[in-house]
Amino acid sequence: MTILVTGATGNVGRQVVAQLVLAGRPVRAMTRQPKTGRLPDSAEVVQGDFERPETWRAALDGVQSVYLFPFVYTATDHGFVDQAVKAGVTRFVVHSAAAAGFAPGTGGNGALGRHLTEEREAHRGLELLVEASGAEWTHVRPGLLAANALRWADQIRTERMVRGPYAAAGYPVVHEADIADVAVAALLTDDQVGAAHTVTGPVKVSQTEQATAIGAAIGTQVRFEELDPAEARTQWLRDGLDEETADWMIALLADAVDGTGALPPTDTYLRVTGRPPRPFAQWANDHVADFRPQVAR
């Protein structure tokens, strides 16, 4: 039976598609723009949009299992999960977030606490929707993605430098391929049914350590220049970031200067796959092309 991957062109979704193709499973990749998705040739790519219910029937035809991107649980949700079950879907693997498993009040009453509360409510809401559907389910709850370092790409390409607050702050950031490995295990075996897996990288990696690892991957030194938090916030706002996001990013980093804040490393990946999770240095090596200067032709 066909496996549907929604959010198929995202950092994790495209990894899920690629791994299912390698496993020899029939894969249908749902994306809003099939012509620009750059997905494996052997994957069936279909146009689908959570905001357009008329696109769902074709995407769900003949599908038994769904990798569910979290955009489905929003104010614009028009019943994708219900329609999927009616179409014959018997298993969902939900791309959730670590915050879905946090206790209420985690992060305190400030910007970080408000953000984590919103994250928890949104992602846990989707999880509950799937649990109530009658289908089998697994929740994959990634922590912070290593791919967040891509926001530094322009600075590194042009200046070999990263500027930001709290150089010592860091989390056990997770490689997108690790998240996909856990999701694929849940799609292809029965071992993970009914499990909620928080997936992180192996250890805390500070911002300075991340910059150093990217420099090693691209063959040059990359320095982290620490800014005063207020100075960094001003720069972010000047660059177009909204105030709410800037405030929670400052709070998120401040919370993880000493230790890992609200998100310590988990052993989920090792338990599910039998292998150690990929370190940040491997993520940096896998993304060399994103950080090297473009060569003029």
Side-chain angles (χ1 to χ4, degrees), residues 40-289:
D41 292 339
S42 54
E44 178 191 0
V45 183
V46 298
Q47 201 280 334
D49 190 330
F50 286 127
E51 294 182 323
R52 296 176 57 201
E54 69 273 14
T55 67
W56 300 347
R57 184 183 297 275
L60 290 166
D61 183 44
V63 168
Q64 186 175 36
S65 300
V66 174
Y67 173 78
L68 189 61
F69 185 72
F71 182 75
V72 67
Y73 191 72
T74 68
T76 58
D77 172 30
H78 300 291
F80 181 86
V81 170
D82 287 342
Q83 186 162 325
V85 172
K86 291 176 182 176
V89 170
T90 59
R91 178 176 296 183
F92 292 96
V93 174
V94 180
H95 181 120
S96 186
F102 287 177
T106 301
N109 297 320
L112 179 59
R114 290 193 299 273
H115 177 80
L116 292 179
T117 297
E118 292 172 358
E119 284 277 294
R120 181 181 186 277
E121 291 176 352
H123 287 281
R124 185 59 184 146
L126 175 57
E127 293 179 357
L128 290 171
L129 185 68
V130 168
E131 290 174 22
S133 72
E136 297 175 339
W137 55 267
T138 305
H139 305 322
V140 180
R141 298 169 168 173
L144 291 176
L145 270 64
N148 288 330
L150 291 172
R151 70 186 186 276
W152 297 338
D154 285 342
Q155 293 181 64
I156 291 174
R157 282 195 297 262
T158 59
E159 302 179 62
R160 300 291 191 272
M161 180 180 293
V162 175
R163 295 182 178 88
Y166 302 114
Y171 287 86
V173 292
V174 58
H175 196 306
E176 58 269 15
D178 283 5
I179 303 166
D181 284 341
V182 175
V184 168
L187 287 165
L188 298 185
T189 75
D190 296 333
D191 299 342
Q192 313 306 324
V193 173
H197 289 311
T198 299
V199 188
T200 72
V203 295
K204 169 183 174 177
V205 190
S206 72
Q207 295 195 98
T208 296
E209 290 168 336
Q210 291 180 44
T212 298
I214 293 169
I218 64 175
T220 190
Q221 183 180 18
V222 174
R223 187 165 61 89
F224 190 95
E225 180 182 297
E226 185 165 15
L227 302 179
D228 177 83
E231 182 183 1
R233 184 181 184 277
T234 298
Q235 182 60 56
W236 291 343
L237 295 177
R238 188 180 301 125
D239 291 341
L241 203 65
D242 64 90
E243 292 190 2
E244 182 178 357
T245 301
D247 287 341
W248 87 256
M249 285 180 61
I250 293 288
L252 182 75
L253 292 169
D255 193 50
V257 173
D258 299 315
T260 56
L263 187 62
T266 69
D267 65 351
T268 299
Y269 186 82
L270 179 63
R271 287 189 290 105
V272 172
T273 70
R275 304 186 300 273
R278 295 169 174 88
F280 184 84
Q282 182 170 343
W283 180 90
N285 280 314
D286 291 341
H287 288 268
V288 163

Side-chain angles (χ1 to χ4, degrees), residues 20-33:
L20 290 172
V21 166
L22 285 175
R25 298 303 180 99
V27 184
R28 182 174 298 149
M30 179 174 134
T31 175
R32 286 179 291 184
Q33 298 181 334

